[in-house]
Amino acid sequence: MGLRPHPPELEEFATLVGSEGPVGIAGGRTHFELGGELRPGTRTVSAPVGVVTHEPAEMTVRVRAGTPVTDLEEHLADGGQMVPLDPESPASTVGGVLAVGRSGIRRLGYGHVRDLVLEITYVNSEGKLIRAGGPTVKNVSGFDLCRLLVGSLGTLGFIAEVVLRCHPLPEVSRWFMSGTDPVELLSGLYRPVSILWDGTESHVLLEGAAADVEYQADRFDLTPVAGPPEVPREGRQSVRASQVADLQGHFVAEVGVGVVHRDIRTDPPPTEAPALHRAVKARLDPTGRLNPGREVVV
Amino acid sequence: MAEWTDAENRALTDDLTNALGARQVRTDGLERALYGRDSSTMEAEPSLVVLPRDASEVAAAVRITTGHGRPFVARGSGTGLAGGAVPLDGAVVIATSRMNRLLEVDVTGRLAWVEPGILNLDLSHQVAAHGLHFAPDPSSQQVCSLGGNVANNSGGPHCLAYGVTSAHILAVEVVLPDGSTVMLGGVTAEPSGYDLRGLFVGSEGTLGIATRVAVRLTPNPPTVRTLLLDFDDTDDGAATVSGIIAAGLVPAALEMMDRRAVEVVEAFAHAGYPTDAEAVLLVEVDGLGPGVQEAVDRIAEVARTNSVRTVRVAADEAERQALWRGRKNAFGAVARLEPDYYLHDTVVPRAALTRVLRRVYEIADNHGLKVINVFHAGDGNLHPILSYDSRISGMTEKVHRAGREIVEASLDAGGVLSGEHGIGLEKRDYMGLMFSADDLAEQDRVRSVFDPRRLSNPDKIIPGGSRCADAGWSAGTRAGEGAWV
Ligand SMILES: Cc1cc2nc3c(=O)[nH]c(=O)nc-3n(C[C@H](O)[C@H](O)[C@H](O)COP(=O)(O)OP(=O)(O)OC[C@H]3O[C@@H](n4cnc5c(N)ncnc54)[C@H](O)[C@@H]3O)c2cc1C
């Protein structure tokens, strides 16, 4: 019995990242400006590509970080499953979505993207492959570096491969509209997957057994519509879920979650205990070589 | 380890007593012995025990303790099974049992602020009037603390559908080893910075002490149905587990008991389990009426294609409670077999369940040990329980050898060291079976950001070999009588 060796593609990626000098990583470049511009002239690399194994009976998939999310979705759909990464843009890669760490509009139903990551393999600032977490759906072996890497914008390590938790593709998935107060919708509906409120009306996404979706649509007098509303992209505000009812201006808010989409730029909230966050960066990447110019701490 | 002199102990006791009051600082031998162990087979002796009443007393206790160069260990209810709360190196135990209040409930936002000493089930009871509950439900939920759940990232039968503790923790206020207080995470949707909250959950008290926790609350399901399925062949039971998942169903809970477990449990709890079955599955589905009925029918169908003997659906709440009573009393039942039991916790791919189970029987038989299996089959989380009598010479060593073989069999099958009980002291020296030296050094580096002097629950999780050369601390642990690692 021994440790699982790293596959050659990952070893090559680690060599590419190397152990010295500034280096950046690019996925689909859909959020490439987030956290500040990469220092000009920085050499950039990209992560290995491909779905390695999908095991429907385990509800897990091992996928290389550079894989476009759409490719992953297609692959999983063949086995009747999905991973609700739900990026805004079809060009996004798996690693990019995780490095950015923002959930899509189905977070109310499926939780935060960080909860989908079971195992992670990344290249650290020394150019070494580091594995954390484990391949099974449940695991508490060692420190949770998976969650540390999600949302780290590639500043702590470059994600090479992950094992993700899959969900069954729902029997039906339907959007509705409703003029009912969103707080009432949230407390009345059972496990809605998304409620998007623009201050007047709500778009509601229900998924699951057809019988349940029909039953709920009936009970709450929901009107079927073709799809989600236009979601503004310019600003993204983070509030308490219970503050959504008091929002002003033009917005689309994720009810029960607290993400507010705006058409004007908004400043991210300041980081609590910034010194501790900076110390993590300084310890894991002492020379600041990984994605120089990007800043996670506000 | 450093042997602390009487003078050093007295100076520390004096400083703590001056700051917190004599009632908060316990030094007598009986209490120290009591706080020297958790629910594992390991123990050691703390130099003293502090029982703070609030976060500021925790901060003061930590500041004073580490000011004396002394390590400390956070303790909730002491139900941990991996030796996480066992105080090594003459550590001071800081127990949260008096900090057990529900501080705030935000019904619309479905969250609550709690103190770490609140008991898991008490929290759910206290928010029940709002139709809400805290989803992670360890079998020990009547007695384990929320702080312990956070530290161990605990699971429970219903975590199959709802996720383990980490998915239900929004923010944690932490007293760091230097006595300062920080907030990790937050109650808004996307707090900025690294996810240090996620890092803290599951860190087993090695990064600091949680003094306030914001938890996510989950609406109670409108309909719940519970099924009992029994089989003549364990393989059929395991195939049913895989079949249910493969059919795209995610039950709220999916638990399995083997024949030996059913016999023991039934004799104790009289839950109405069929004692002549080789395997019994307890399946719970929840949600809306129509979908739940459909799921029940489909589960029964999957079971029938796998030669189920009987499909029993609890007719009412009383019958449902009876079915769960057996499962939840498994440990109580086992305690009647032999004076000691040793509960294991590994996870294997669902497809490997029967293969690894067979190997577990083989291992137990080879060592002449009794083993029963009651476990979270839905997520492949095995819990073999070895029962034994530690007074028989050589027995404890046998049990530990068998334990290591079970861990190795699980890893060989593509599994992991622990599904929910954690690494603590118990599996610390097995970490190298799952992680490389580089992996462990990286974990250790992250830990050292929070605790550069390694005073917060020292010598847990990461084996000694991985310590960075620049860390500079004295190695060596003294696990007291009966301790092993
Ligand atoms: C009969 C039985 C059944 C069990 N069933 C389950 C189960 O189904 N699922 C499961 O996951 N576990 C189970 N357990 C294990 C145990 O109950 C859990 O690990 C539980 O979460 C521990 O809580 P505690 O308050 O007892 O923590 P303790 O044992 O007191 O401490 C556990 C760890 O947490 C740390 N800690 C405690 N409080 C804090 C704090 N405030 N801040 C930082 N660190 C802290 C300690 O230092 C220690 O490392 C079971 C145990 C028993 C005895």
Side-chain angles (χ1 to χ4, degrees), chain B residues 283-352:
Chain B
V283 193
E284 188 153 283
V285 274
D286 65 11
L288 292 162
V292 166
Q293 189 49 52
E294 222 177 276
V296 168
D297 294 344
R298 287 176 64 200
I299 288 167
E301 207 178 288
V302 173
R304 273 193 283 273
T305 59
N306 288 296
S307 320
V308 68
R309 294 198 323 183
T310 46
V311 175
R312 179 170 152 204
V313 184
D316 51 29
E317 184 58 22
E319 191 178 355
R320 176 177 167 261
Q321 292 295 345
L323 292 183
W324 273 107
R325 190 164 61 234
R327 169 65 184 89
K328 291 198 169 166
N329 282 297
F331 302 113
V334 172
R336 300 208 318 183
L337 285 183
E338 295 271 8
D340 304 287
Y341 69 84
Y342 187 18
L343 169 55
H344 281 272
D345 167 48
T346 64
V347 185
V348 300
R350 279 179 279 250

Side-chain angles (χ1 to χ4, degrees), chain A residues 29-43:
Chain A
R29 295 184 183 259
T30 64
H31 288 75
F32 210 58
E33 80 297 346
L34 251 186
E37 219 172 290
L38 195 62
R39 193 189 301 151
T42 305
R43 172 175 75 93

Side-chain angles (χ1 to χ4, degrees), chain A residues 1-3 6 56-59 81 101-103 107-108 112 114-115 122 124 126 128-145 147-148 150-152 155-156 165 168 171 183 186-187 189-191 209-212 215-216 219 236-243 256-259 268-273 276-281 283-284 296-298, chain B residues 104 106 108-111 152-153 155-156 161-162 164 166-167 176 182-184 187-199 201-203 206-207 220-222 245 248 250 286-288 290-291 294 347-351 376 379 381 408 411-412 414-423 431-436 438-439 442-443 445-450 461-462 468 470:
Chain A
M1 195 195 110
L3 295 173
H6 294 292
E58 305 303 326
M59 296 185 80
Q81 296 186 348
R102 288 176 172 176
S103 308
R107 176 169 159 187
L108 179 63
H112 198 286
R114 63 186 173 223
D115 295 329
Y122 65 93
N124 74 359
E126 295 175 349
K128 289 179 176 158
L129 283 167
I130 304 296
R131 186 156 49 202
T136 53
V137 289
K138 201 172 181 189
N139 172 36
V140 292
S141 311
F143 290 90
D144 193 345
L145 303 187
R147 284 184 175 71
L148 188 61
V150 173
S152 69
T155 61
L156 302 180
R165 173 195 301 277
E171 190 183 326
V183 173
L186 179 67
S187 62
L189 287 167
Y190 183 69
R191 291 189 142 193
D212 283 352
Y215 169 80
Q216 299 224 79
R219 239 183 103 204
R236 188 173 170 108
Q237 217 185 327
S238 164
V239 302
R240 260 176 101 133
S242 50
Q243 288 167 340
V257 174
V259 172
T271 309
E272 291 262 7
L276 186 62
H277 291 252
R278 292 209 174 91
V280 171
K281 165 71 177 173
R283 191 80 177 89
L284 293 191
V296 170
V297 186
V298 184
Chain B
E104 181 197 327
D106 173 351
T108 320
R110 290 183 181 155
L111 70 91
N152 282 355
N153 194 12
Y162 291 91
V164 294
S166 185
L176 297 176
V182 291
M183 183 65 76
L184 310 180
V187 291
T188 65
E190 293 178 330
S192 77
Y194 298 112
D195 184 14
L196 301 186
R197 168 215 66 88
L199 179 71
V201 177
S203 63
T206 61
L207 304 182
N220 298 339
I245 303 292
V250 183
D286 65 11
L288 292 162
E294 222 177 276
V347 185
V348 300
R350 279 179 279 250
H376 312 305
D379 34 35
N381 191 179
E408 287 175 345
L411 291 176
D412 271 343
V416 298
L417 285 176
S418 171
E420 54 183 24
H421 296 167
I423 302 300
M431 283 286 276
L433 299 176
M434 190 168 156
F435 296 108
S436 72
D438 288 341
D439 300 341
E442 185 92 340
Q443 296 192 19
R445 229 172 261 142
V446 172
R447 190 239 154 131
S448 72
V449 173
F450 287 72
I461 306 182
I462 300 178
C468 302
D470 60 351

Side-chain angles (χ1 to χ4, degrees), chain B residues 441-485:
Chain B
E442 185 92 340
Q443 296 192 19
D444 196 53
R445 229 172 261 142
V446 172
R447 190 239 154 131
S448 72
V449 173
F450 287 72
D451 183 21
R453 298 169 64 200
R454 288 141 209 280
L455 294 174
S456 189
N457 208 3
D459 299 322
K460 305 290 168 68
I461 306 182
I462 300 178
S466 68
R467 277 169 212 145
C468 302
D470 60 351
W473 67 320
S474 64
T477 68
R478 184 192 58 184
E481 273 294 301
W484 62 277
V485 287

